[in-house]
């Protein structure tokens, strides 16, 4: 199989790494890719938001499967254009991707599917915003209705900060605060069959102890030793399958990756948000534990044949990812700094740690920072403690001037396991 992956972040590097290890993948392409992806896939330039351009590239390369990584191309309808060209595509249609593209649409789907979620108001005027903030009280949860690259949500006790964020959005969803730990659960679906992956937990705040501003994610781990063993089955039955069934009933079947961000509250599981693609950095740890070759599963979703595939095979190992971010992230990041030490991590036979590139570019033989989140350093181990130790040992070998990372990824879970 020839596979083309669209995107250029750490999520796409994780996908390309897994696909490169799949014996059924004979040629692997990525557009536009990054400096790390170039080591496992052939890179091609493309405007990832231009569906016709992506479809033309896929046809030129003879791709037999296109995997769309980021949310913006999905909401722009890139998967529709690829499928219209007769090429199997992993990723939902423009209409189905509204599950991530509009928080209000997602709330409406959840209501129709009877999926448990936070009570909410959709607001478009200052008066509506004030009513909603007053109704729920602190902590205030304010979400930009549209795509915001994982940074459109403000959770604060400061009503003025909540109001300011709400007023900056064209349309905003204000909802009740959900207590309890958060869990990310991915499921691969062909629009009918739902195949859950292993759960993970990510760390959104920039600083240790969950302090500082929200980010796109500073690290993740899997499995979750503290979670109920029945959690995945419960979420499939009460959240994922009903959502897939409701979208099919509406005539907008969802095929691709359905991501449920969940809160395990005192009143049970509640959906915080849906995404229409693999999450970053959770993908890095989930795929590190998946033993089943990836391409056949993604093709099964694209072709509507998931029900014919055997159950997924998972490693018992734990995985931890630590994100190395550039100076000033999540504000305007400093870019163009050289990254050193990558060869030292790659040269190690053990421990099994590897670096996935997010915001990088090549300049001759040098690798330079090119974004806010620069690298995802990932390691596996027999348990979370060993995986953490290996991940942070690898982080210590990477040198990027002014960089930052959290030092407490998976610490509590490892200590309590």
């Amino acid at each position: 199989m020839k596979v083309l992956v669209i995107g250029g972040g750490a999520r796409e590097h994780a996908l390309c790494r897994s696909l490169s290890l799949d014996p059924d993948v004979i040629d692997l392409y990525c557009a536009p890719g990054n400096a790390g992806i170039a080591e496992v896939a052939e890179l091609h330039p493309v405007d990832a938001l231009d569906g016709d351009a992506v479809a033309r590239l896929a046809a030129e390369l003879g791709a037999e499967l296109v995997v769309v990584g980021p949310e913006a191309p999905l909401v722009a309808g890139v998967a529709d254009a690829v499928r219209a060209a007769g090429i199997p595509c992993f990723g939902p249609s423009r209409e189905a991707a509204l599950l991530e593209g509009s928080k209000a649409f997602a709330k409406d789907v959840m209501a129709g599917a009877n999926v448990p979620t936070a009570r909410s108001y959709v607001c478009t005027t200052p008066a509506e915003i004030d009513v909603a903030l007053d109704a729920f009280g602190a902590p205030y949860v304010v979400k930009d209705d549209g795509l915001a690259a994982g940074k459109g949500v403000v959770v604060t006790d400061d009503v003025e900060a909540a109001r300011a964020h709400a007023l900056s959005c064209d349309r905003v969803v204000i909802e009740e605060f959900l207590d309890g730990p958060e869990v990310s659960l991915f499921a691969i679906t062909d629009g009918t069959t739902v195949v859950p992956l292993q759960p993970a937990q990510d760390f959104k705040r920039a600083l240790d102890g969950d302090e500082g501003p929200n980010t796109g994610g500073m690290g993740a781990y899997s499995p979750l030793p503290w979670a109920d063993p029945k959690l995945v089955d419960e979420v499939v039955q009460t959240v994922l399958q009903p959502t897939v069934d409701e979208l099919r009933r509406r005539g907008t079947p969802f095929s691709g990756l359905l991501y449920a961000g969940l809160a395990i509250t005192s009143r049970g599981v509640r959906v915080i948000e849906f995404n229409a693609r693999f999450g970053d950095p959770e993908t890095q740890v989930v795929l590190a534990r998946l033993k089943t070759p990836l391409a056949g599963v993604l093709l099964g979703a694209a072709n509507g044949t998931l029900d014919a595939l055997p159950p997924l095979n998972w490693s018992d190992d734990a995985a931890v990812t630590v994100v190395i971010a550039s100076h000033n992230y999540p504000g305007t990041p400093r870019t163009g700094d050289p990254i050193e030490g990558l060869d030292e991590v790659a040269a190690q036979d053990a421990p099994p740690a590897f670096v996935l590139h997010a915001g990088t570019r090549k300049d001759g033989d040098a690798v330079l920072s090119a974004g806010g989140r620069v690298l995802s350093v990932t390691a596996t181990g027999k348990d979370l403690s060993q995986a953490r130790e290996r991940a942070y040992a690898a982080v210590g070998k990477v040198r990027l001037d002014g960089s930052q990372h959290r030092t407490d990824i998976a610490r509590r879970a490892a200590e309590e396991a």
Side-chain angles (χ1 to χ4, degrees), residues 102 104 191 217 329 393:
S102 168
Y329 178 78

Coordinates of all heavy atoms in Angstrom, one line a residue, residues 102 104 191 217 329 393:
S102 N -17.5 23.2 15.3 CA -18.5 24.0 16.0 C -18.9 23.4 17.3 O -19.5 22.3 17.3 CB -19.7 24.2 15.1 OG -20.8 24.8 15.9
A104 N -21.1 24.4 19.2 CA -22.6 24.4 19.3 C -23.2 23.2 18.5 O -24.2 22.6 19.0 CB -23.1 25.7 18.7
G191 N -18.2 4.9 10.4 CA -19.5 5.5 10.3 C -20.5 4.5 10.9 O -21.7 5.0 11.1
G217 N -1.0 21.3 24.6 CA -0.7 20.0 25.3 C 0.8 19.9 25.6 O 1.6 20.0 24.6
Y329 N 6.4 30.2 24.6 CA 5.2 29.4 24.3 C 4.4 29.3 25.6 O 4.9 29.2 26.7 CB 5.6 28.0 23.8 CG 4.3 27.1 23.6 CD1 3.6 27.3 22.4 CD2 3.9 26.2 24.5 CE1 2.5 26.5 22.1 CE2 2.8 25.4 24.2 CZ 2.1 25.6 23.1 OH 1.0 24.8 22.8
A393 N 15.2 11.2 30.6 CA 16.6 11.0 30.3 C 16.9 11.5 28.9 O 17.9 12.1 28.6 CB 17.0 9.6 30.5

